[in-house]
Amino acid sequence: MHLADIGVKCHNCGISFKSKQIPLIVDTGQRNSELRLIIGGVSEQFEPYSVCTCPSCGLADWATAFGKTDEQAVLNQALSTPHLQFRTAALAAERTGKSFHAIGLFYLYAAWCADDINAIPQAREYRRLAVDAFYKSLTDGSCPPAQRAEIEYLIGELLRRSGDFVNSVEYYKEVVPRLPSKYAMMARKVMRLCQEGRYDAIPFD
């Protein structure tokens, strides 16, 4: 996986610094049951490089949210565990009044990054927080209409992967009738995994 040092400027404090980013991510079209991109033959995931923390003020956000700059940068991005950076970004998004959909995405990515280092308790907690944020995004209208079915499906899968099998099944019983066929079929598979007491992600097909 190719990494590049990219000069960026913090939109909070104005300092310029160098960030490590992946210039090109190829979408393979393959996802797991949690809708995470599957990159075949690559052990390292791209998500840890999609978050960035300012070394001056500590602002954490999507790496692409920090504007590129040609100014000479002496400092490097702050070193921190990726799932903690996403957690910090989620908390900052809450403080600044960003949408619940945006907050949910931060917690979802935090869960994935926690998975990558076997931080299981943290991953489950992030999933519970993502469920709460995504559910609120459906009720307050901040979920983009084009992504509503995706988020409705994802909530049930996040419940399962956080260990809440009972609520995952009950939730899907309510929403499956209105899901598009591809999500409805996958939701039924997730319900069977709940009955088997399985936490693992499976391919989305």
Side-chain angles (χ1 to χ4, degrees), residues 74-147:
V74 177
L75 296 175
N76 292 313
Q77 67 183 59
L79 293 177
S80 179
T81 305
H83 75 81
L84 295 177
Q85 291 188 72
F86 277 117
R87 177 182 179 275
T88 300
L91 293 172
E94 290 184 70
R95 285 196 305 271
T96 55
K98 290 187 178 179
S99 74
F100 283 113
H101 181 261
I103 294 165
L105 287 176
F106 281 131
Y107 280 125
L108 178 62
Y109 275 58
W112 292 344
C113 290
D115 281 343
D116 292 342
I117 60 171
N118 291 317
I120 305 304
Q122 293 92 331
R124 289 181 179 173
E125 177 62 19
Y126 295 144
R127 286 183 170 93
R128 287 190 285 268
L129 291 167
V131 165
D132 182 64
F134 283 142
Y135 190 78
K136 289 176 179 175
S137 80
L138 293 174
T139 56
D140 73 0
S142 66
C143 176
Q147 295 178 29

Side-chain angles (χ1 to χ4, degrees), residues 56-77:
S56 176
C57 68
L59 175 70
D61 205 338
W62 299 107
T64 53
F66 294 90
K68 293 183 180 180
T69 181
D70 293 326
E71 295 179 10
Q72 185 175 6
V74 177
L75 296 175
N76 292 313
Q77 67 183 59

Side-chain angles (χ1 to χ4, degrees), residues 1-4 6 21-27 39 46:
M1 190 173 288
H2 174 65
L3 292 177
I6 298 176
Q21 299 183 29
I22 300 174
L24 178 64
I25 298 169
V26 178
D27 190 338
I39 304 177
F46 78 88

Side-chain angles (χ1 to χ4, degrees), residues 2 29 60 66 83 136 145 157 164-165 174 179 188 192 195:
H2 174 65
F66 294 90
H83 75 81
K136 289 176 179 175
E157 170 63 344
D164 194 348
F165 302 132
E174 178 185 344
L179 290 178
R188 293 187 180 96
R192 288 195 293 272
Q195 292 165 353

